[in-house]
Amino acid sequence: MSEITKLTLKDTIKDLEEKKFSGEELCSAYVDRANKLNPELNAYLTLCKPQKGIPAAVKDVFSTKDIRTTAGSKILENYSPQYDATVISRLKPVDISILGKANCDEFAMGSSGENSAYGVTRNPWNLEKIPGGSSSGSAAAVSADMCVFALGTDTGGSIRQPAAMCGVVGLKPTYGRVSRYGVIAMASSLDCPGPITKSVGDARTVLEWITGADGKDSNVAETKKVKGKMKNDISKIKIGIPTEYFTEGLDHDVKITVENAIKQLEELGASIVEITLPHTEYAIAAYYILIASEVSSNMARYDGIRFGGSRDLFGDEVKRRIMLGTFSLSVGYWDDYFAKAAKVRTLIKRDFEKAFDPSTGSGCDVIVGPVSPTVAWSLGEKIDDPLKMYLSDVYTVPPSLAGIPGLSVPCGFVQGLPVGLQLLSKHFDEETILNVGEAYEVSTNWHLSKPQIANSE
Amino acid sequence: MAKLTTNEVKTIARLANLPLTKKEETGFSSQLSKIVDYFDELRAVNTKGVDPTFVPVDLENITRKDATKPCLTQEEALKNSPAVDNGMFVVSKITSNHLNNEQ
C-alpha cells in the first residue's frame, strides 16, 4: 500500500472514486508514514489521526478548532483555537481532513525553518540542509509524501521558497484572493495563504477550493474563479525574463538550470523577451521595513491576557522584527523609513505593471526567473547573520510587495538538491501561470523525482 | 559605527513592551544597526512625488450588513486565558504599571 502515498491529489481523488482503495486505507497509509518519518524530519508539530477524508498538512499558523495551534512559538504553546480559519472550513466540505499541523518559522518569520521554537525541520533531500521557510514543515511533508498536499502562507516567499528547496509545487495567490481570517498574522498587507502540492494541477484544485470572499477579510473580493482545466497551448504566451534576476548573487549552476527551463518553455512555443525590473535591488530593504512595522503592530496583541504566554517567550527573530518595526514607526524615523519604504513599494509595483502592460512596456503574460539564488543551504549557515538570511529572499519579495501571484515549479537539481522555477503574472491572473507551469511540468519529469527518504518503506 | 546604541535598544524595547536580557540588548544593538544601515540604501531612490502603497491591490471597501451573528460563548471565549476571575479576563493594572515605569 506504500504506493498510495505517492499519488497526487488528483490521482488520489480519482482512485477513491474508482474505489481502488478506501478513505480509511488512504488515511491509515498517511498516518503510518507521517508517524514513521516525523522523528527524522520534524515536519509536524502536532499529528492527528484522521480516519476518513483526504489527509492534508496545515501550517501551524492556520487556526484549527480544538487542535493546538502554536505558530511555531512558545508563546502559543498551549493555544487551542475556538474556531477554524476560513481556508480550513472551506476544505471540510470537499472531504479534506487534517493530518497534522506543520512546523514553521516562528510566526512565519524566517527563510530556513530554523526559527521554529520546536526545532528545525530537515530537508527530505538532504537531512543536513534547511527545507526553506517559513512554510518549512508544509513543504517537507509534501516532498516526503507525508500528506497529499499542504497549506502554507507566503508573505515574502514563504510558500514558493520552501517548495523550491524541497522539490515540490508552491502557489502564492494574488493578495486578496484567499481569506486571511483565522490565519495568525505576520504582515497584514502581504500575507497570502496558498497551497503546496505534488503537481501544478493539484495547486489549481486547492486554489479553487480556498478562493473567494467570506465577509470576514475586508481585503478579499469576490473574483473570477480559476478554470478547473489547464490550457495546453502556450504558443501565444509572451514570457519576460528580468535582467535583474540573473545578476551577481545568483548561483552559477542554479542560473544554468533556470536558463534550461526557459529554453524548454521556448521549445513549447512561448516567445521570450528580456525585461527590466529596475527597482529590484531596493526590494529587500523596503520589504523588511514594511513587514517589521506591520509585525510590531500585529504582535502587540500578544499580551498574555486573553490567550498565550508572556512576551519574553518570543524568539530572537520575532524580537528583532518587533524592534525594527517599532524603530521604523517611531517619531523622527517614520518619514525616513516606513514612509520611504511604502513609496519604494509603489515603484516596485510599477516595474511589474510596466512589464505586463503592452502599451507602455513589454506586454508580457508571464515573468519567469529563479525562486531563490541558491539551493538549500546547510543548517546553521545563516542563523547568526539575519541580514544575509533576508537577502536570500531577493527574487520572491518584489512580487510580494506588488501583490501579484507567483508559482514555484521544480525545474532540476544542483548537487542533488532541487531548484525551483518562479512564474509570475498580473493581479488575479493565476490562470496563466498555472497553464504555463503545467505545460512545463508535463514536458519534464522533475516533479516525479522523489527524495530517497520518500522511497523508503 | 553602531546606529542603534544599547540605550536606544532599551528605549525601543520599552516602547514595544518587550522584555530583553542584557545579552539581547548588546546583541541586538550590533545586529539591528547593521540592518538599519542596509535600510539606508533606500535613500538613493528618488521618491519625489511618488505616493506610498499600503495595500498592493486596488480594492473598494468591502462591507457586510451590521447584523448580529452567533458568537463564542463566555466559556469558549475565556478558555485560552491564563487568568480568569468570575467569568472575566484578569488584566494587570495599567495605570500603576505606568507609574512604576516612570520611577
Side-chain angles (χ1 to χ4, degrees), chain A residues 241-267:
Chain A
I241 311 297
T243 320
E244 292 80 3
Y245 284 39
F246 291 86
T247 52
E248 202 192 336
L250 176 61
D251 176 87
H252 177 73
D253 294 333
V254 171
K255 184 171 178 235
I256 290 172
T257 308
V258 170
E259 283 169 349
N260 285 337
I262 294 166
K263 270 181 216 149
Q264 176 77 14
L265 289 168
E266 199 170 12
E267 275 168 34

Side-chain angles (χ1 to χ4, degrees), chain A residues 2 6 32 149 172 178 195 205 268 292 296 318 325 351 376 401 405 410 455:
Chain A
S2 71
K6 290 192 173 159
D32 287 354
F149 72 92
K172 171 217 170 303
V178 180
T205 303
L268 291 169
S296 73
V318 179
D351 282 354
L401 288 170
N455 290 319

Side-chain angles (χ1 to χ4, degrees), chain B residues 39-103:
Chain B
F39 287 171
D40 284 337
E41 289 190 11
L42 290 190
R43 285 172 198 229
V45 191
N46 182 3
T47 50
K48 213 177 161 199
V50 177
D51 287 331
T53 296
F54 298 115
V55 173
V57 288
D58 300 323
L59 287 169
E60 304 266 319
N61 278 340
I62 298 161
T63 54
R64 58 169 167 76
K65 267 193 188 154
D66 185 18
T68 56
K69 279 185 192 171
C71 63
L72 300 180
T73 62
Q74 186 187 42
E75 195 188 339
E76 282 171 330
L78 293 169
K79 82 165 190 176
N80 277 301
S81 178
V84 172
D85 184 28
N86 206 15
M88 289 179 277
F89 295 113
V90 176
V91 302
S92 50
K93 290 178 196 161
I94 297 163
T95 45
S96 76
N97 263 2
H98 179 70
L99 288 173
N100 286 341
N101 282 344
E102 295 298 335
Q103 277 163 7

Side-chain angles (χ1 to χ4, degrees), chain A residues 305 311 319 337 340 346, chain B residues 17 24 40 45 51 53 81:
Chain A
I305 293 171
R311 289 172 75 81
K319 285 181 181 166
Y337 294 98
K340 181 80 180 180
T346 304
Chain B
N17 187 22
E24 284 174 323
D40 284 337
V45 191
D51 287 331
T53 296
S81 178

